Amino acid sequence: MSAEANNTENTGAWADISPDAARRLVTAAVEAFAERGYHATTTRDIAGRAGMSPAALYIHYKTKEELLYQISGVGHRLALAIVREADDAGGTPAERLAAVVRSFVRWHAEHHTTARVVQYELAALSEEHYTVIAARRREIDAAVRAIIEDGVRSGAFDVPDVSGTTLAVLSLCIDVARWYAPDGRRTPDEIGDLYAGLVLRMVGAAGS
Amino acid sequence: MSAEANNTENTGAWADISPDAARRLVTAAVEAFAERGYHATTTRDIAGRAGMSPAALYIHYKTKEELLYQISGVGHRLALAIVREADDAGGTPAERLAAVVRSFVRWHAEHHTTARVVQYELAALSEEHYTVIAARRREIDAAVRAIIEDGVRSGAFDVPDVSGTTLAVLSLCIDVARWYAPDGRRTPDEIGDLYAGLVLRMVGAAGS
């Protein structure tokens, strides 16, 4: 098991998946998809990594796509929870936006393997499942946009294009998962601080 | 052939690959890797898409990895050329940085399929080939960092963390390839204008 899969499990990303066999299959699938891509991975590969037979996998997941959907669902639910939690902590729009960026960046750095699978394999979801995930993505976007709109309304931010700026802020945070390396120069917290400062400049926060 | 592969060929991305058969194999490989991932694609798939036999492919590329390396090499050479060309047009640091961001964003939007393959399949390169590509990536990074340093030196920019900000600027531009859709709300030029403005704010350009 990779350090991240282990860490992900320990920090509870997959903690609400039960029984234990289903949880092991999900972490095995994340690793396999990340290493070889969704289409190059077979359910047999995933079962093998989880120390199970293909028949045992089938009890929990009828198809490889169901595993991807579960991974994507958990990933997006956690991302939305992180954005909402940071936002609910309260404070000025600048404090809320900085808190959301810090948490979102840290999540994409610490769970970069999961985040890559979630972001790069969206096209492999069934149409029905993609519709559910797309709705969750719109909720994340709306939560960030609402903070930026609050800042504009109160005069704390100066943003000519709110929807474009929301897109850019989320894109900047998500792309951390692509380039982040655990042995790199910056810790997840340091990247979070750097990015919170850059985002406050993007929204024209006074004093940033 | 996808609209982009066609467009890529027409706009000369692959124009310096000869003979024609090698060029057809590269565009076929980009499409196949983008659709199914590098590891799920066989040289037989690529040859078939190019209307050639596996034996004919082998005349031009000994392995699938050689094809990926050629795609990555061309992609990075073009990205570096774009950054240098925009920079060479001259002007103030703010004008040069805005020109680089506009060109880089437009390239990642228009060639999003190629850019995704180049960015997401780096780990599939051989160690030797990865070393060559990594050197080119450092050149791109250095070209952008040099503009930001010029701006800081002249007092036009205010940047507490030059290397971190350079990383963020490039990351923001590259991630356009992930989310851009040709039927989306914004044209590549509109995204380029939006992002040039946001990047000037990130570097604290006076009046931005």
Side-chain angles (χ1 to χ4, degrees):
Chain A
M1 183 173 285
S2 75
E4 188 205 315
N6 193 33
N7 178 44
T8 301
E9 209 165 29
N10 289 343
T11 55
W14 313 117
D16 61 347
I17 300 175
S18 72
D20 176 66
R23 191 165 57 248
R24 276 194 290 138
L25 286 166
V26 164
T27 56
V30 168
E31 283 178 63
F33 294 159
E35 274 179 36
R36 307 262 310 159
Y38 176 80
H39 294 288
T41 301
T42 63
T43 49
R44 180 173 291 273
D45 297 334
I46 296 166
R49 278 176 187 259
M52 290 164 59
S53 68
L57 179 147
Y58 189 71
I59 295 170
H60 302 286
Y61 297 98
K62 290 281 170 284
T63 64
K64 186 172 68 162
E65 194 272 342
E66 275 191 18
L67 268 161
L68 179 63
Y69 177 55
Q70 170 119 49
I71 293 163
S72 196
V74 171
H76 281 92
R77 195 156 56 238
L78 283 170
L80 183 58
I82 280 163
V83 170
R84 292 229 167 112
E85 193 183 341
D87 189 24
D88 288 348
T92 66
E95 286 163 350
R96 285 155 58 210
L97 186 58
V100 165
V101 168
R102 277 197 193 91
S103 298
F104 214 53
V105 162
R106 195 163 52 230
W107 196 82
H108 281 85
E110 287 172 354
H111 302 135
H112 55 102
T113 308
T114 302
R116 286 179 200 168
V117 169
V118 166
Q119 296 296 341
Y120 304 160
E121 302 288 10
L122 279 179
L125 290 172
S126 69
E127 202 178 317
E128 185 194 339
H129 287 161
Y130 179 75
T131 303
V132 176
I133 296 297
R136 192 148 275 155
R137 291 172 81 86
R138 282 193 298 274
E139 287 182 87
I140 294 170
D141 184 273
V144 173
R145 194 171 52 233
I147 304 174
I148 296 179
E149 281 168 349
D150 276 358
V152 170
R153 221 170 354 242
S154 73
F157 297 166
D158 165 33
V159 181
D161 179 344
V162 169
S163 72
T165 303
T166 302
L167 173 69
V169 168
L170 283 168
S171 171
L172 189 66
C173 296
I174 289 169
D175 197 49
V176 169
R178 178 183 57 81
W179 61 259
Y180 176 78
D183 57 354
R185 292 161 54 181
R186 296 165 197 272
T187 66
D189 280 333
E190 286 167 353
I191 302 164
D193 284 342
L194 168 68
Y195 274 37
L198 291 171
V199 164
L200 290 181
R201 285 180 166 206
M202 287 164 73
V203 298
S208 71
Chain B
M1 182 173 285
S2 74
E4 187 205 315
N6 193 33
N7 177 45
T8 301
E9 210 166 26
N10 290 343
T11 55
W14 313 116
D16 62 346
I17 300 175
S18 71
D20 175 65
R23 192 164 59 248
R24 275 193 290 140
L25 286 166
V26 165
T27 56
V30 168
E31 284 178 61
F33 294 159
E35 276 179 33
R36 307 263 309 160
Y38 175 81
H39 293 288
T41 301
T42 63
T43 49
R44 181 173 290 274
D45 297 334
I46 297 167
R49 277 176 188 260
M52 291 164 59
S53 69
L57 178 148
Y58 188 71
I59 294 169
H60 302 285
Y61 298 98
K62 291 281 169 285
T63 62
K64 185 172 68 164
E65 193 273 341
E66 275 191 18
L67 267 161
L68 179 64
Y69 177 54
Q70 169 116 49
I71 293 163
S72 196
V74 171
H76 282 92
R77 197 155 56 238
L78 283 171
L80 183 58
I82 280 163
V83 170
R84 292 228 166 112
E85 193 184 340
D87 190 23
D88 288 348
T92 65
E95 287 163 350
R96 284 155 58 210
L97 186 59
V100 165
V101 168
R102 278 197 192 92
S103 298
F104 214 53
V105 163
R106 196 164 49 230
W107 195 83
H108 281 84
E110 287 172 353
H111 302 136
H112 56 103
T113 308
T114 302
R116 285 179 200 169
V117 169
V118 166
Q119 296 295 340
Y120 305 160
E121 302 289 9
L122 279 177
L125 290 172
S126 70
E127 201 177 316
E128 186 194 339
H129 287 161
Y130 179 76
T131 303
V132 177
I133 296 297
R136 193 146 278 156
R137 290 172 81 86
R138 282 194 297 274
E139 288 182 85
I140 295 171
D141 184 272
V144 173
R145 194 171 53 232
I147 304 174
I148 296 179
E149 281 167 349
D150 276 358
V152 170
R153 224 173 351 245
S154 73
F157 298 165
D158 165 32
V159 181
D161 179 345
V162 169
S163 73
T165 303
T166 302
L167 172 70
V169 168
L170 283 167
S171 171
L172 189 65
C173 296
I174 289 169
D175 196 49
V176 170
R178 178 183 56 82
W179 60 261
Y180 176 78
D183 57 354
R185 290 161 55 180
R186 296 164 198 272
T187 66
D189 280 332
E190 286 167 352
I191 302 164
D193 284 342
L194 169 68
Y195 274 38
L198 291 171
V199 164
L200 290 180
R201 286 180 165 204
M202 286 164 73
V203 298
S208 71

